[in-house]
């Protein structure tokens, strides 16, 4: 990935992914599947069943999700994880995404997330990985604290790679962190994250 693309990739991701839940009148988080494409408009069926019309800004960024594994996660890497808090204070990971080095620090911290009820998002630096009876335990640190993330065999582990507009077809599953609602009711975004070959973003 060239330096220019890396900078665009990092800046665009930072702009969107650190956006915490805001007023529904301002932004909309999309998790859905492209149903059809009408010129510049992607008609998306959101996970709640709503049909949304999505367009992109000038010079949009398309980012593909690529499968990865726990073996790819090493101390010193920057990762993000959505999961549920356990009674012992650990966070059981639903998914873990590995950030490229150019995206280090994106959305850093531990905060509420809306993947499922009572989920949290933790974006942090990996300090240590330890094998346990239920899976791998990641010790991570962020600017205001630290957490232990339990990665089980059911946890989805992915990374990000540069994508292509041509990959977006009916059936493609997408994630948009903060699309802005336009006056005509459509939504607009500078960035679409998507899965290839039937896969999809877990977050």
């Amino acid at each position: 990935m060239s330096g220019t693309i890396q900078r665009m990739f990092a800046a665009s991701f930072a702009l969107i992914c650190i956006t915490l839940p805001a007023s529904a009148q301002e932004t909309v988080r999309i998790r859905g599947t492209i149903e059809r494409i009408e010129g510049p408009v992607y008609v998306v069926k959101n996970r709640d069943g709503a049909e949304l019309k999505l367009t992109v800004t000038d010079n949009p960024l398309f980012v593909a999700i690529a499968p990865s594994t726990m073996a790819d996660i090493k101390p010193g890497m920057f990762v993000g994880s959505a999961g549920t808090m356990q009674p012992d204070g650990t966070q059981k990971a639903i998914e873990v995404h590995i950030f490229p080095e150019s995206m280090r620090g994106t959305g850093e911290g531990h905060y509420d997330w809306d993947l499922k009820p009572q989920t949290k998002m933790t974006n942090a630096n990996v300090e240590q990985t330890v094998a346990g009876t239920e899976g791998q335990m990641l010790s991570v640190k962020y600017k205001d604290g630290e957490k232990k993330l339990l990665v089980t065999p059911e946890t989805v582990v992915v990374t990000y790679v540069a994508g292509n507009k041509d990959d977006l077809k009916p059936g493609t599953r997408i994630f948009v962190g903060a699309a802005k609602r336009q006056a005509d009711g459509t939504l607009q975004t500078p960035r679409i994250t998507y899965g290839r070959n039937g896969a999809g973003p877990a977050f």
Side-chain angles (χ1 to χ4, degrees):
M1 192 183 294
S2 72
T4 300
I5 293 175
Q6 283 184 332
R7 287 192 293 273
M8 289 174 58
F9 191 56
S12 180
F13 194 92
L15 174 66
I16 298 169
C17 265
I18 63 173
T19 305
L20 301 181
S23 167
Q25 297 174 331
E26 299 172 357
T27 61
V28 176
R29 185 170 289 148
I30 300 172
R31 296 182 178 92
T33 303
I34 296 174
E35 297 237 293
R36 59 188 186 278
I37 300 172
E38 300 176 348
V41 179
Y42 297 99
V43 180
V44 179
K45 185 173 184 179
N46 206 23
R47 69 172 183 178
D48 62 3
E51 184 176 275
L52 307 175
K53 292 189 175 181
L54 178 69
T55 62
V56 294
T57 58
D58 293 337
N59 301 312
L61 192 65
F62 300 97
V63 181
I65 291 292
S68 194
T69 69
M70 267 299 299
D72 297 319
I73 300 178
K74 310 294 184 185
M77 287 184 167
F78 192 81
V79 302
S81 177
T84 55
M85 300 307 297
Q86 305 301 294
D88 62 359
T90 61
Q91 179 177 317
K92 187 175 182 180
I94 297 169
E95 56 81 16
V96 175
H97 46 271
I98 305 170
F99 288 98
E101 188 59 30
S102 61
M103 295 167 63
R104 175 176 292 277
T106 300
E108 184 175 357
H110 174 76
Y111 40 85
D112 292 339
W113 198 241
D114 62 350
L115 177 61
K116 294 182 178 180
Q118 300 183 342
T119 51
K120 296 281 189 177
M121 176 67 78
T122 303
N123 287 6
N125 189 70
V126 177
E127 299 290 311
Q128 185 180 36
T129 65
V130 179
T133 56
E134 296 182 69
Q136 293 280 112
M137 189 71 75
L138 298 182
S139 296
V140 301
K141 282 189 177 181
Y142 47 95
K143 57 188 175 183
D144 297 321
E146 56 188 81
K147 285 286 178 289
K148 291 188 181 297
L149 309 177
L150 175 61
V151 182
T152 72
E154 290 74 39
T155 302
V156 177
V157 182
V158 298
T159 189
Y160 301 105
V161 296
N164 190 301
K165 177 183 178 181
D166 294 339
D167 288 339
L168 300 185
K169 300 172 182 177
T172 301
R173 294 168 59 192
I174 68 170
F175 172 82
V176 175
K180 291 197 172 185
R181 192 176 298 279
Q182 306 299 295
D184 62 359
T186 62
L187 300 166
Q188 189 177 69
T189 180
R191 179 183 188 278
I192 295 177
T193 301
Y194 66 94
R196 287 174 170 158
N197 302 319
F203 48 86

